[in-house]
Amino acid sequence: QQQEEGQPQRLPMPPQGLSEQPTTQQPQPAGQLDSGGRGGAAEPSRAEERRAEADAAPHTNGAHPITEEELGLGSVEEAKQRLESDLKVEEVAVVLQFLVKQRVDAALLERTKIGVTVNMMRKRYKGDKTIETLSSDLVSHWKRVWQLQR
């Protein structure tokens, strides 16, 4: 099925009863990159997937959910300080979810050593799949960032 340039791409229709309107997706002009650094309308980037996983990760035991604001998170430096203090598992998960959403560069990684701290959380909370997954994904992503910028 060929698509003329400049024409919106027709997406498959949703199951019966969900929507009467067909949905369209505008093709990305050649040479322009999406937020993931790729051209065209592509799948979500790994960073976007990690953010969605972090937002969906369970972090409470049925009690009031802990928020980033309650933990005083506003920067990577503050998140590092919180991780180095004595936190409950639920609080560590919130801090890691906050870090997933942050933009970091090689200079920030070197200056703060946040990767070392997050890797310590992975080891300290071994057995907690949420903490293990979030922390190992963060460290892997940050290693790639550091390697690409150095």
Side-chain angles (χ1 to χ4, degrees), residues 37-100:
R38 302 175 305 257
E43 296 178 14
S45 70
R46 180 66 185 131
E48 292 166 334
E49 289 172 5
R50 280 198 330 272
R51 282 188 198 98
E53 289 168 7
D55 289 341
H59 60 274
T60 64
N61 56 6
H64 164 69
I66 300 160
T67 65
E68 295 169 4
E69 293 79 23
E70 290 173 330
L71 290 175
L73 301 175
S75 68
V76 172
E77 290 85 354
E78 290 170 348
K80 182 177 189 249
Q81 288 175 343
R82 294 298 298 172
L83 288 174
E84 290 171 341
S85 66
D86 190 29
L87 293 177
K88 298 176 189 170
V89 174
E90 296 85 8
E91 294 171 328
V92 172
V94 171
V95 175
L96 293 174
Q97 291 166 0
F98 168 79
L99 289 170
V100 166

Side-chain angles (χ1 to χ4, degrees), residues 120-132:
M120 281 190 331
M121 294 301 106
R122 180 185 58 81
K123 294 174 184 177
R124 183 178 297 160
Y125 294 92
K126 195 161 197 74
D128 185 296
K129 288 298 177 192
T130 301
I131 304 291
E132 283 184 30

Side-chain angles (χ1 to χ4, degrees), residues 29-43:
Q32 285 191 342
L33 300 179
D34 65 7
S35 61
R38 302 175 305 257
E43 296 178 14

